Amino acid sequence: MCQTCSRRLFIGGAAASLVMAGVPGASAAAILRGCSFSQADQEPDELKSSSGDAALDEALIIELQRILTVIPKINPGFQYLVDKQPNAYATTKTYVSGTNGTVLIGVNLVKMLMQQPEGGAAVAGMCAHECGHIYQFSTDFHQRLKELLLIELHADFLSGIYMGKRAEFTADRVWQLSKALHEHGGYAYTNPEHHGTPGQRSAAMEKGYRLASSKKSFDELAIIGESYVRNLA
């Protein structure tokens, strides 16, 4: 568990979860388009341990800890990224002592989303996706998948598993998020940072959601997800 999270958890009593009800289409699309990952030399301009909003920080920490109860084999640090353009990404670089890899969450991105009705659900989905990248880095999935498209679709699949493990994420809510991706996502096949078509991303996430109720372990589901996204792509 990241040291920053441990120090600030449950300050003055547990805050309400980021996950509430409903997923606004614009928020979901914006957050999933903004995601990226980094294994090499990408350096953030500035990192912060707080967004400046104590209640938001506490709620986000709680959500991140919930994700770590579902996704195994990971011990990432979490830091806020001072993002010139709304963004979030995962990196193999470690910025928090005692952790492995880092999930960088854009301050502007989170604040923008939280201004939307029920934007916390989209923030939770983004965090699960980025933790999915940390899982890929911590196992051999990143090397096996190799292609950016497959890596991103697999992270969508893994985030779907997390949604399926949480009672708050009903099938209808996942459908809303999928619909937002389908309507607002991109088809930029020539873009080197292409994450997949809206239909591909929706399918990967929904597949993970549907399989989450099985008795298979997360690792077993991740292997199924690898085969699924290869066929999907």
Side-chain angles (χ1 to χ4, degrees), residues 131-210:
C131 286
H133 283 314
I134 297 293
Y135 174 82
Q136 292 168 337
F137 295 148
S138 301
T139 59
D140 61 353
F141 281 103
H142 193 274
Q143 290 299 318
R144 279 160 44 181
L145 290 164
K146 295 182 181 179
E147 297 177 21
L148 178 57
L149 173 60
L150 295 178
I151 290 168
E152 292 297 340
L153 290 176
H154 190 248
D156 285 331
F157 178 92
L158 299 180
S159 69
I161 296 174
Y162 173 68
M163 293 176 187
K165 296 291 187 183
R166 291 287 302 279
E168 295 91 335
F169 288 114
T170 63
D172 181 63
R173 295 179 71 188
V174 173
W175 177 83
Q176 290 182 58
L177 181 54
S178 297
K179 184 173 182 290
L181 285 171
H182 185 73
E183 290 181 348
H184 300 285
Y187 289 93
Y189 288 108
T190 59
N191 185 336
E193 295 187 354
H194 178 52
H195 285 27
T197 68
Q200 287 172 321
R201 301 202 66 186
S202 297
M205 182 174 54
E206 290 179 359
K207 184 68 172 180
Y209 176 86
R210 290 195 301 272

Side-chain angles (χ1 to χ4, degrees), residues 5 11-13 17 23 37-38 60 62 65 91 118 129-130 141 144-145 147 149 160 190 195 200 204 206 225-226:
C5 293
I11 300 172
S17 172
V23 181
F37 72 92
S38 172
L60 186 59
I62 293 171
Q65 288 202 328
T91 177
E118 314 301 354
H129 179 103
E130 299 307 336
F141 281 103
R144 279 160 44 181
L145 290 164
E147 297 177 21
L149 173 60
T190 59
H195 285 27
Q200 287 172 321
E206 290 179 359
E226 177 185 1

Side-chain angles (χ1 to χ4, degrees), residues 20-221:
M20 300 172 192
V23 181
S27 294
I31 199 161
L32 290 170
R33 283 203 309 271
C35 160
S36 61
F37 72 92
S38 172
Q39 269 200 303
D41 299 324
Q42 183 173 355
E43 288 286 353
D45 292 334
E46 183 181 352
L47 296 180
K48 299 173 67 176
S49 60
S50 173
S51 67
D53 183 332
L56 175 60
D57 292 347
E58 198 167 353
L60 186 59
I61 290 166
I62 293 171
E63 192 64 48
L64 290 167
Q65 288 202 328
R66 286 175 173 169
I67 292 169
L68 297 188
T69 67
V70 174
I71 302 180
K73 295 183 172 67
I74 64 173
N75 178 37
F78 299 96
Q79 292 281 282
Y80 284 104
L81 169 71
V82 180
D83 47 342
K84 296 178 181 178
Q85 295 183 336
N87 193 22
Y89 65 91
T91 177
T92 55
K93 292 190 175 183
T94 295
Y95 295 98
V96 179
S97 178
T99 66
N100 293 298
T102 311
V103 171
L104 300 170
I105 303 168
V107 174
N108 291 329
L109 178 59
V110 172
K111 289 184 175 180
M112 177 188 73
L113 291 171
M114 292 306 294
Q115 290 175 357
Q116 303 293 328
E118 314 301 354
V123 175
M126 175 272 292
C127 289
H129 179 103
E130 299 307 336
C131 286
H133 283 314
I134 297 293
Y135 174 82
Q136 292 168 337
F137 295 148
S138 301
T139 59
D140 61 353
F141 281 103
H142 193 274
Q143 290 299 318
R144 279 160 44 181
L145 290 164
K146 295 182 181 179
E147 297 177 21
L148 178 57
L149 173 60
L150 295 178
I151 290 168
E152 292 297 340
L153 290 176
H154 190 248
D156 285 331
F157 178 92
L158 299 180
S159 69
I161 296 174
Y162 173 68
M163 293 176 187
K165 296 291 187 183
R166 291 287 302 279
E168 295 91 335
F169 288 114
T170 63
D172 181 63
R173 295 179 71 188
V174 173
W175 177 83
Q176 290 182 58
L177 181 54
S178 297
K179 184 173 182 290
L181 285 171
H182 185 73
E183 290 181 348
H184 300 285
Y187 289 93
Y189 288 108
T190 59
N191 185 336
E193 295 187 354
H194 178 52
H195 285 27
T197 68
Q200 287 172 321
R201 301 202 66 186
S202 297
M205 182 174 54
E206 290 179 359
K207 184 68 172 180
Y209 176 86
R210 290 195 301 272
L211 292 177
S213 60
S214 76
K215 294 182 179 181
K216 295 183 182 298
S217 69
F218 189 92
D219 292 330
E220 290 172 323
L221 292 175

